[in-house]
Amino acid sequence: MSEATIPIKELMEKTEQWLLGQGYKKSTLGFYRATWNRFLSYSASPAYSRETAEQFLLQYFGVDVHAIDQTLDGRMRHARRHMNALDEIFRTGTVCRRKVYGVASIDDDCFDKFFSDYLSYCKMQNFSRSWMDNTIAALRIFLLAVHSSNTQNIKSINAETINCFSTAMSNASEICMNVRRARCRQVGAYLHWLYDHKYTDLDYSLQLPNFKRTAPQIPQVWSPEEIDKILAVIDTANPVGRRNYAIFLLLARTGLRISDVLGLKFSNINWKENCISLSQQKTGNALSLPLSKELGMAIISYLQDGRPQSSSAFIFLSHNAPFQPLGEHNNFNPEFHKYLRRAGIAIPTKRHTGVHTIRHSFATNMLRKGTPVQDVSQILGHSNISVTETYLRVDIEHMRLCSLSLEGLL
């Protein structure tokens, strides 16, 4: 929806409405508005300008959007995030929830010049949307290195470009080691593709750093009794409560990822056959699960007495006008923590306790009941049984027996 000019006040209103539709809290948007109001006072023109926005960030907060290795404190990161939201609504009409350092400083035309052919190739391979999103995130970081090293086109990618990217990754202490490893692998795939297709004379993927993978933590697991306590404290007397109850019940009874639950459409539910069929966002693999009476009643209750009037094909919507589908990257962690506290369940401080732990709990509790690991893997929609085996580490009580049963599979 990029416009030639737009008043800053109008852009602020559009951005705020879009963020509200994605599930942002009004209290959170208060911080966004505070930054935007400062920008409005700073700007000599009532119309939005990216150049003015960059000058504002630099002079008011000390944020240089063109620097690849600048260390930012919390105040600087928040200001950059607030201004990035304005800029993305101005340029594209949406805000990317997966923020990549300095994205707003790179033109879309430059991105297309370097990556359009490669991404077209990737789409032809039918990679999942999650795979594509992560690859684009990695390529945007690489583009910052291209910009900093003054690399003009694909043919001029050289050791200096690679060194600039490698240095940025090595210094990105705010990004965990496993994510840095993944970003290098994603950029490496791009560089190897360039070499295979004769765009470059050398395979620069071989020059990227190899970050050591950190051992995965044993995931937090909630007992069936704790899951029932969490569900019991959700207030279903109001529309948002009915929506959240249906969402968390789906998570608890099916083991689906939160992104797949929020992405459910009416076409995914076969009421006659009592089943849910979908294509997983992370893997792209098809998955079919039974729709129990308990789940069906929760969804129907929300549709009849909670869901806003809307022609949207998505089942779950934001309850703030204009009642849009919930963002695919909305993790519902704040709501989950609220229900944990309300249920009187202690939240561990040294383990991840987000919504994804409900999926961990679903898998681990099935294994504890003696469900074969192959069946659990199929229900979860894992592409490889080795992924499911992660949950075996949680069940200390049955670990020896489970590991023995897997000897024929490894």
Side-chain angles (χ1 to χ4, degrees), residues 313-352:
F314 290 88
I315 294 175
F316 299 111
L317 303 177
S318 164
H319 282 242
N320 295 312
F323 309 123
Q324 296 177 335
L326 294 166
E328 64 183 66
H329 299 304
N330 188 330
N331 57 32
F332 263 69
N333 285 342
E335 289 83 356
F336 183 49
H337 289 162
K338 176 178 69 176
Y339 297 139
L340 284 172
R341 290 190 292 269
R342 190 179 291 176
I345 298 173
I347 303 176
T349 57
K350 294 185 178 181
R351 284 187 181 179
H352 174 68

Side-chain angles (χ1 to χ4, degrees), residues 61-87:
F61 294 97
V63 176
D64 182 357
V65 299
H66 297 287
I68 194 170
D69 56 356
Q70 183 182 22
T71 301
L72 306 179
D73 59 24
R75 181 171 177 266
M76 297 164 78
R77 286 195 301 271
H78 291 156
R80 185 187 62 195
R81 182 182 304 123
H82 303 162
M83 295 305 295
N84 273 353
L86 276 185
D87 190 70

Side-chain angles (χ1 to χ4, degrees), residues 150-162:
N150 199 29
T151 303
Q152 298 300 314
N153 51 55
I154 291 177
K155 292 286 187 180
S156 59
I157 290 176
N158 55 26
E160 183 181 354
T161 314
I162 305 306

Side-chain angles (χ1 to χ4, degrees), residues 289-335:
L289 298 170
L291 178 68
S292 67
K293 182 178 180 180
E294 179 188 29
L295 287 174
M297 293 302 295
I299 295 172
I300 290 172
S301 175
Y302 169 62
L303 296 178
Q304 290 182 339
D305 301 313
R307 187 177 186 269
Q309 292 292 325
S310 172
S311 59
S312 174
F314 290 88
I315 294 175
F316 299 111
L317 303 177
S318 164
H319 282 242
N320 295 312
F323 309 123
Q324 296 177 335
L326 294 166
E328 64 183 66
H329 299 304
N330 188 330
N331 57 32
F332 263 69
N333 285 342
E335 289 83 356

Side-chain angles (χ1 to χ4, degrees), residues 32-51:
Y32 280 71
R33 285 194 300 271
T35 302
W36 297 341
N37 284 329
R38 289 179 184 137
F39 172 59
L40 182 63
S41 299
Y42 171 87
S43 177
S45 168
Y48 176 79
S49 161
R50 173 186 283 192
E51 182 179 355

Side-chain angles (χ1 to χ4, degrees), residues 50-312:
R50 173 186 283 192
E51 182 179 355
T52 304
E54 291 178 357
Q55 293 172 353
F56 165 72
L57 281 172
L58 183 60
Q59 295 183 19
Y60 205 100
F61 294 97
V63 176
D64 182 357
V65 299
H66 297 287
I68 194 170
D69 56 356
Q70 183 182 22
T71 301
L72 306 179
D73 59 24
R75 181 171 177 266
M76 297 164 78
R77 286 195 301 271
H78 291 156
R80 185 187 62 195
R81 182 182 304 123
H82 303 162
M83 295 305 295
N84 273 353
L86 276 185
D87 190 70
E88 290 188 33
I89 289 293
F90 173 71
R91 293 185 297 112
T92 69
T94 62
V95 177
C96 177
R97 288 293 293 270
R98 294 186 182 201
K99 282 298 168 199
V100 180
Y101 179 67
V103 166
S105 66
I106 302 297
D107 292 331
D108 292 337
D109 290 343
C110 187
F111 184 88
D112 290 340
K113 180 172 70 174
F114 278 86
F115 308 124
S116 60
D117 289 346
Y118 175 65
L119 292 177
S120 296
Y121 163 81
C122 292
K123 289 177 182 177
M124 291 174 62
Q125 308 309 306
N126 293 320
F127 292 130
S128 70
R129 182 165 61 181
S130 175
W131 190 96
M132 292 293 293
D133 285 347
N134 282 310
T135 294
I136 291 172
L139 294 179
R140 287 192 179 278
I141 298 175
F142 183 72
L143 193 59
L144 288 169
V146 166
H147 179 78
S148 295
S149 60
N150 199 29
T151 303
Q152 298 300 314
N153 51 55
I154 291 177
K155 292 286 187 180
S156 59
I157 290 176
N158 55 26
E160 183 181 354
T161 314
I162 305 306
N163 183 61
C164 190
F165 172 75
S166 300
T167 301
M169 284 288 91
S170 298
N171 294 337
S173 57
E174 74 277 9
I175 303 177
C176 76
M177 196 68 72
N178 286 346
V179 172
R180 281 187 270 178
R181 176 185 172 89
R183 294 294 179 256
C184 286
R185 290 171 68 90
Q186 289 146 1
V187 169
Y190 164 69
L191 294 172
H192 184 70
W193 182 86
L194 292 181
Y195 175 69
D196 271 353
H197 290 76
K198 311 302 181 184
Y199 285 96
T200 58
D201 295 330
L202 296 176
D203 186 356
Y204 288 109
S205 67
L206 302 176
Q207 298 183 20
L208 294 177
N210 183 21
F211 292 102
K212 185 178 180 180
R213 182 190 298 274
T214 57
Q217 291 184 338
I218 295 179
Q220 172 66 35
V221 172
W222 313 104
S223 69
E225 293 75 22
E226 288 174 321
I227 293 293
D228 288 341
K229 284 183 180 180
I230 294 166
L231 293 171
V233 300
I234 301 177
D235 183 9
T236 56
N238 63 76
V240 173
R242 291 192 187 96
R243 180 198 68 188
N244 290 357
Y245 179 76
I247 288 172
F248 279 95
L249 191 66
L250 278 163
L251 294 170
R253 302 296 189 247
T254 68
L256 284 170
R257 299 178 181 89
I258 182 65
S259 58
D260 289 328
V261 171
L262 299 185
L264 283 176
K265 298 181 179 180
F266 290 102
S267 58
N268 294 128
I269 298 183
N270 187 328
W271 295 100
K272 290 184 179 180
E273 300 293 333
N274 291 323
C275 69
I276 302 173
S277 300
L278 67 146
S279 178
Q280 298 173 94
Q281 293 190 24
K282 181 176 181 179
T283 65
N285 296 337
L287 182 65
S288 183
L289 298 170
L291 178 68
S292 67
K293 182 178 180 180
E294 179 188 29
L295 287 174
M297 293 302 295
I299 295 172
I300 290 172
S301 175
Y302 169 62
L303 296 178
Q304 290 182 339
D305 301 313
R307 187 177 186 269
Q309 292 292 325
S310 172
S311 59
S312 174

